[in-house]
Amino acid sequence: MATSNYDGDIVAWANEQAALLRAGIFSQLDIEHLAEEIEDVGKSEKRELASRMAVLLAHLLKCQYQPERQGNSWRRTIKEQRNAIAICIKKTPSLKADLSDADWWSGVWSDAVAKAAEETGLGDFPESCPWTVDTILDPGWLPSLVGYGINP
């Protein structure tokens, strides 16, 4: 039954592999590629979390370093990213471990700083994230409100 080529047509291959699994025909499964695809599902979820966190951090940096330019669009993006991150973690609880992984944070922070620098033209951002995870994800917190005499 196995006729689809993983490299030739991944959709046909995936459909065929699913049919083989459901039929219990394990001897014809493409085990190596199935294992890679299963691992890629986890990597995709991790990439989504990292991407959303980088966007959130970039906007928090913009709020802190350009508070006069803060507007509804920035606040909306911050709220959307916080909500999406919460959903990611609720849907895939094992992702929460990434939030305490120093290497993960280093990459995410690097991406966030690059985004913020590109969007603001500024370049003097901290080398590492100055905020805790709880602070970053706190729906009522914005860095520009701290130190400017404005109550959230």
Side-chain angles (χ1 to χ4, degrees):
M1 181 177 176
T3 59
S4 296
N5 184 313
Y6 176 82
D7 294 320
D9 185 344
I10 195 163
V11 172
W13 172 87
N15 289 333
E16 182 177 274
Q17 296 301 301
L20 289 169
L21 280 167
R22 287 186 182 99
I25 307 173
F26 305 126
S27 63
Q28 292 184 29
L29 289 171
D30 183 351
I31 299 296
E32 185 58 34
H33 287 120
L34 277 171
E36 286 177 28
E37 290 301 315
I38 290 168
E39 288 171 339
D40 284 348
V41 169
K43 290 176 187 173
S44 174
E45 295 295 319
K46 285 178 171 266
R47 278 191 300 272
E48 179 183 357
L49 178 63
S51 175
R52 291 190 177 283
M53 186 63 78
V55 170
L56 172 58
L57 291 170
H59 276 74
L60 292 174
L61 282 168
K62 289 174 9 176
C63 284
Q64 181 167 350
Y65 285 82
Q66 293 185 323
E68 71 284 354
R69 298 190 65 195
Q70 185 185 134
N72 288 334
S73 137
W74 286 7
R75 286 199 257 338
R76 187 171 40 256
T77 297
I78 289 168
K79 181 179 180 181
E80 288 169 359
Q81 295 309 312
R82 282 177 172 151
N83 288 339
I85 288 166
I87 290 168
C88 281
I89 292 169
K90 184 177 182 181
K91 184 175 75 170
T92 312
S94 63
L95 290 176
K96 194 166 189 171
D98 287 340
L99 299 179
S100 57
D101 181 305
D103 289 336
W104 183 85
W105 271 108
S106 177
V108 168
W109 183 253
S110 211
D111 290 347
V113 166
K115 287 177 193 302
E118 181 181 325
E119 294 175 16
T120 64
L122 302 173
D124 194 25
F125 297 114
E127 285 188 35
S128 60
C129 185
W131 311 301
T132 66
V133 174
D134 290 340
T135 299
I136 292 164
L137 297 178
D138 179 347
W141 180 80
L142 290 174
S144 62
L145 299 178
V146 177
Y148 288 92
I150 302 169
N151 293 321

